[in-house]
Amino acid sequence: MPDSEILEPIPTKRIFYLTILMAILGVIMIGKLVYVQVFQNKLYLEKANAQQSRKFDITARRGQIYVNDGNGAVYPIALNQQLFLLAADPKFVKDPANTASKLSKYLPSDEGAGLESKLGDKDNRYLVIKKSLTSADAEEIKKLKLPGIILYPQDGRNYPEGELFAHITGYVNNDGAGQYGIEQFLNSSLSGKDGVSRAITDSLGVPITSNENTIIRPENGSDLVLTIDRNIQQMAATAIETAVKTNQAESGSIVVMDPKTGAIRAMVNYPSYDPNNYQAVSPDEYYKFTNSSISSQYEPGSGFKVITMAAGLDTGKVKPDTKYEDTGEVKIDDRVVKNSNDKKYGISTMTDVIQKSLNTGVVFVLRQLGTDPDNITSKAKEVFHDYIKKFGFGERTGVELAGEAKGFVKKPDSYNVDYANMSFGQGISVTNLQLVNAVSAIANGGTLYKPYIVDKETKASGEIILSKPTVIRNDVMSRQSAAELAEMMKQVVQHGSGWPARTTGYSIAGKTGTAQVPKPDGTGYEESKNIGSFVGFAPVEDPRFVILVRVNYPKVDGFAEKTTVPAFAEVARQLFMYYQIAPSGN
Amino acid sequence: MSTAAMSLRKNQNIVKNKIKFQTGPVSASLMLIGLVILLGLMYLNQVTKTSTFNYKISNLENKQGELQTTKDNLSIDAARLQSIAEAKKAAQTAQLSAVKTVSYATAR
């Protein structure tokens, strides 16, 4: 055998080093595997999941809102609607001019104008063309097969009655959140709880059917039925629109309440807005969004005299026939309080005070509440303050609507003249709802209810929650003093400023109020502005409704009897027929 | 026992072999493979069935969604047609007039 063919033995050392090297490499590899799979398990698991599976939110179905429609029927005032977001990826738009021309039909003229140039901007990869597109329009656009045009489904809301219930419902914005009204106040009940789905996806991120997919079902929102009656709401809306236009006023409101439960039957403000198209409201008209019946606090004026009289009657300090001498003015410390018409009526009864709306008369009542009938004492202010609180002023009523104001009541340590002013409704601020609720307590014999607007809530599980009237207190005033006050208020309609509401066969009680408007800088009152109001109830012997009408800043001359009482009369007369209340012959 | 019978028994070659079921490594492996294949098929069958049902459910859910959308749209149309604005239009078309006075019958 030649030498060259003899294989030299591999040196043992080399094998040894190779083995060591392989062992080290093995250890490194195992170490790396342990590091990746054990210590970095979470990180890589998340990366893998992100590539292979995706989380999808499942939006819960929003609850719908209904109102009563007479005879036990209900009518929807807020419904769900599938809408679409129209967008474009300009990079893929082949013919911007043609595309813009075809889409312009679905856009307002001012938005359609610059669309062609926007679609021509190839650097922009996402262009929102229109939000809240209806499904009918979306179907038409789909059929056009325009390249680069995309339609994304959106959950939307539809309000079939438009402006009529705008201040009650509010609206749902593009993010799905309730704004104003019930939509905001009860947003969590209405929106429910979103669900979530985790699904394995293909390379394009599209979910594929797999056993590993998990789903947590959404919990849909509750449906609500309100205490509002659609027909009464319409009566009130027509009446307030007429009142505002006739008096060339800036705005107005009507609230109708059931005095035996505190249920609100109608709540309208004029002007209103269309919640289907809330984006159309310009920034200088944002005040239209607020429900002024609960949000706008104002000095009630003479309408508040019934509260002062209630305190006097209930404490037994005065009776309807208690007399005093009206000299046309009364001196409080260094100030003089006069009657609104600058007249003096001589010897007058408490019924005259309400019927003729005498400022001096309610100051007389305020004085009687204390320890010295000739002066406004601390005791008088404390007693009056207690009654104001008992009637619910200075506190939010807790009605299920967003944006409620609580009003303002001066404390008993205020100046005497402040309390004298408060006795005829100045220097105190209230909301329409507070005033109508307080007068409801007079109408029903002394029980203050918590006003409510949600009659029934039906949860997604089928559970039904019925609202029950909530008594805040049943000792606001005695039944007898309430009846005496109602009788005095009846005289306002029979022989006083409420005369336009007189209706043959029906007994109506009420009180007008024409309040001055404080200047924004607090230096007195506006010369040419006033707020007219009339709050009343009927039939006096068995009250079925309380109505408050308020008209802000009328331009025509005249007190509340001209600006508000006709609207009250219009609604009251329709309600007599609607509720089928037969005339009593009084 | 008779002699003939005894002789018969004597001469009879009676060998009764017990049949032994023996498995060697090959047959055991084959059986194991068969079992794995069987279980695999059962698993595949089950997964396919589940996937098919999931697909059906997904389809039905999509359909339910579409029907819900249609229902929503119809509800909106129905509400709009019953709205007060529409009722007013209908009243004008039918030349209806508002009730002005009501006479009440006296109960006896």
Side-chain angles (χ1 to χ4, degrees):
Chain A
M1 191 182 282
D3 284 353
S4 58
E5 287 182 12
I6 297 169
L7 290 172
E8 285 181 16
I10 298 167
T12 325
K13 264 190 179 181
R14 222 183 271 178
I15 290 173
F16 174 72
Y17 287 135
L18 197 64
T19 311
I20 293 292
L21 185 70
M22 293 301 285
I24 290 169
L25 282 174
V27 167
I28 289 171
M29 281 173 72
I30 289 167
K32 181 69 181 174
L33 281 172
V34 170
Y35 176 72
V36 168
Q37 293 189 18
V38 178
F39 295 104
Q40 289 198 308
N41 171 277
K42 206 178 164 187
L43 175 77
Y44 284 103
L45 200 64
E46 277 172 10
K47 277 190 178 179
N49 281 340
Q51 285 172 359
Q52 295 157 11
S53 73
R54 267 177 66 191
K55 202 177 105 181
F56 299 90
D57 288 330
I58 309 170
T59 314
R61 190 175 155 76
R62 197 173 176 86
Q64 305 192 132
I65 307 173
Y66 300 81
V67 289
N68 285 293
D69 199 17
N71 299 325
V74 293
Y75 175 85
I77 58 168
L79 292 165
N80 292 320
Q81 185 178 21
Q82 176 79 75
L83 296 174
F84 291 86
L85 173 79
L86 178 63
D89 183 347
K91 192 181 175 186
F92 294 98
V93 175
K94 283 183 183 163
D95 184 352
N98 181 42
T99 306
S101 142
K102 282 183 174 166
L103 292 179
S104 61
K105 179 184 160 190
Y106 306 97
L107 306 173
S109 54
D110 55 328
E111 284 178 33
L115 185 61
E116 187 185 334
S117 62
K118 284 179 192 168
L119 289 172
D121 178 10
K122 302 287 175 193
D123 293 335
N124 186 8
R125 296 298 310 276
Y126 184 68
L127 172 70
V128 174
I129 301 173
K130 192 174 190 245
K131 290 174 179 172
S132 308
L133 199 74
T134 63
S135 46
D137 286 349
E139 277 304 313
E140 285 181 20
I141 291 170
K142 264 185 211 168
K143 282 178 193 164
L144 294 174
K145 291 184 179 169
L146 297 167
I149 298 299
I150 317 152
L151 285 159
Y152 294 107
Q154 276 185 312
D155 287 327
R157 208 68 160 154
N158 187 283
Y159 303 92
E161 284 289 11
E163 295 187 1
L164 187 58
F165 297 96
H167 291 116
I168 292 171
T169 57
Y171 61 87
V172 176
N173 66 17
N174 281 328
D175 298 328
Q179 302 284 294
Y180 302 96
I182 287 179
E183 295 277 27
Q184 181 180 332
F185 192 87
L186 294 176
N187 189 49
S188 56
S189 299
L190 284 164
S191 57
K193 228 180 190 178
D194 287 350
V196 66
S197 156
R198 187 171 281 283
I200 305 294
T201 57
D202 62 15
S203 57
L204 296 171
V206 177
I208 52 172
T209 309
S210 163
N211 285 336
E212 290 174 40
N213 292 353
T214 57
I215 185 166
I216 299 169
R217 298 265 171 209
E219 199 178 295
N220 291 338
S222 301
D223 286 342
L224 304 175
V225 179
L226 307 186
T227 57
I228 299 289
D229 186 304
R230 180 165 78 130
N231 304 294
I232 303 176
Q233 181 82 358
Q234 174 60 23
M235 291 171 202
T238 308
I240 197 61
E241 185 177 350
T242 307
V244 169
K245 286 180 177 168
T246 308
N247 296 294
Q248 297 166 34
E250 198 174 290
S251 55
S253 314
I254 292 181
V255 180
V256 181
M257 181 179 272
D258 178 350
K260 291 174 184 169
T261 59
I264 299 166
R265 298 293 178 215
M267 183 180 273
V268 293
N269 304 292
Y270 181 87
S272 188
Y273 69 98
D274 184 358
N276 293 306
N277 193 19
Y278 65 89
Q279 299 95 333
V281 177
S282 60
D284 58 328
E285 288 184 323
Y286 279 173
Y287 70 91
K288 284 184 180 175
F289 288 136
T290 58
N291 180 350
S292 57
S293 291
I294 58 158
S295 304
S296 162
Q297 48 191 40
Y298 67 112
E299 294 192 4
S302 297
F304 201 73
K305 283 174 180 154
V306 296
I307 306 300
T308 313
M309 193 57 75
L313 291 168
D314 197 51
T315 52
K317 299 286 183 176
V318 296
K319 292 278 171 200
D321 56 359
T322 300
K323 292 188 175 92
Y324 84 110
E325 187 178 1
D326 171 36
T327 57
E329 60 180 43
V330 57
K331 200 165 182 234
I332 313 288
D333 301 331
D334 59 341
R335 305 283 184 90
V336 174
V337 169
K338 292 182 176 180
N339 285 328
S340 60
N341 57 5
D342 280 338
K343 286 184 182 171
K344 55 182 174 183
Y345 292 87
I347 302 295
S348 304
T349 63
M350 291 301 108
T351 302
D352 293 333
V353 169
I354 294 297
Q355 183 195 317
K356 294 171 184 161
S357 199
L358 305 179
N359 291 349
T360 57
V362 282
V363 173
F364 169 82
V365 174
L366 174 63
R367 283 174 164 173
Q368 308 311 303
L369 297 176
T371 48
D372 179 0
D374 296 324
N375 285 300
I376 298 172
T377 61
S378 297
K379 175 74 178 167
K381 288 191 281 187
E382 276 169 25
V383 172
F384 186 37
H385 183 265
D386 284 350
Y387 272 93
I388 291 172
K389 289 298 211 180
K390 274 166 117 178
F391 274 103
F393 296 105
E395 306 284 340
R396 288 185 183 90
T397 65
V399 72
E400 310 94 320
L401 293 168
E404 188 182 13
K406 62 179 195 175
F408 176 70
V409 179
K410 284 180 179 161
K411 288 183 178 162
D413 58 4
S414 305
Y415 293 116
N416 291 344
V417 71
D418 288 340
Y419 260 68
N421 285 337
M422 278 165 62
S423 70
F424 49 89
Q426 291 200 334
I428 182 170
S429 53
V430 305
T431 65
N432 287 353
L433 188 60
Q434 284 174 340
L435 191 55
V436 81
N437 200 36
V439 173
S440 287
I442 298 169
N444 67 31
T447 302
L448 187 75
Y449 287 96
K450 179 183 171 186
Y452 67 104
I453 201 162
V454 176
D455 199 19
K456 190 169 94 172
E457 178 183 350
T458 307
K459 296 198 169 199
S461 60
E463 184 192 353
I464 294 173
I465 302 168
L466 288 171
S467 298
K468 285 179 189 164
T470 308
V471 174
I472 296 172
R473 60 192 308 157
N474 56 12
D475 61 345
V476 176
M477 65 192 302
S478 69
R479 190 163 282 280
Q480 191 197 333
S481 51
E484 287 170 350
L485 185 54
E487 203 56 39
M488 293 160 89
M489 290 169 73
K490 206 165 124 181
Q491 297 308 310
V492 175
V493 176
Q494 289 296 316
H495 308 292
S497 54
W499 66 268
R502 272 199 304 249
T503 306
T504 310
Y506 295 95
S507 57
I508 300 172
K511 182 74 191 83
T512 51
T514 308
Q516 291 175 285
V517 180
K519 286 180 181 170
D521 58 6
T523 57
Y525 289 91
E526 300 274 4
E527 291 291 323
S528 57
K529 282 185 176 175
N530 73 67
I531 295 174
S533 63
F534 185 81
V535 58
F537 55 90
V540 174
E541 58 279 6
D542 181 21
R544 295 285 303 277
F545 55 83
V546 180
I547 305 171
L548 181 141
V549 181
R550 173 179 155 192
V551 172
N552 301 317
Y553 315 148
K555 287 196 179 68
V556 298
D557 290 334
F559 287 102
E561 68 183 83
K562 192 177 174 188
T563 57
T564 60
V565 185
F568 173 93
E570 177 66 22
V571 178
R573 285 167 194 157
Q574 288 190 54
L575 284 178
F576 289 138
M577 286 196 273
Y578 185 67
Y579 282 145
Q580 298 177 10
I581 302 168
S584 63
N586 292 330
Chain B
M1 191 180 288
S2 66
T3 315
M6 278 185 71
S7 63
L8 182 70
R9 284 194 71 177
K10 225 179 198 176
N11 295 331
Q12 198 171 17
N13 188 13
I14 301 168
V15 178
K16 202 173 182 181
N17 286 326
K18 276 191 179 174
I19 299 166
K20 283 186 182 173
F21 187 75
Q22 283 181 324
T23 54
V26 176
S27 54
S29 300
L30 284 172
M31 277 166 64
L32 198 65
I33 289 166
L35 200 66
V36 167
I37 289 170
L38 188 70
L39 284 172
L41 284 172
M42 280 168 72
Y43 174 75
L44 277 176
N45 180 43
Q46 209 59 32
V47 166
T48 314
K49 261 187 189 171
T50 315
S51 297
T52 312
F53 282 132
N54 278 344
Y55 181 75
K56 274 183 187 169
I57 290 168
S58 172
N59 253 357
L60 287 170
E61 278 176 348
N62 284 344
K63 239 179 212 173
Q64 189 191 18
E66 280 168 20
L67 287 171
Q68 185 67 55
T69 306
T70 311
K71 188 193 160 202
D72 286 348
N73 288 337
L74 288 171
S75 299
I76 290 164
D77 288 344
R80 205 172 278 148
L81 288 169
Q82 291 174 63
S83 70
I84 286 170
E86 286 295 324
K88 272 184 181 173
K89 271 189 217 163
Q92 276 174 356
T93 311
Q95 295 183 318
L96 299 176
S97 62
V99 176
K100 285 180 183 151
T101 53
V102 176
S103 299
Y104 289 85
T106 312
R108 292 189 181 184

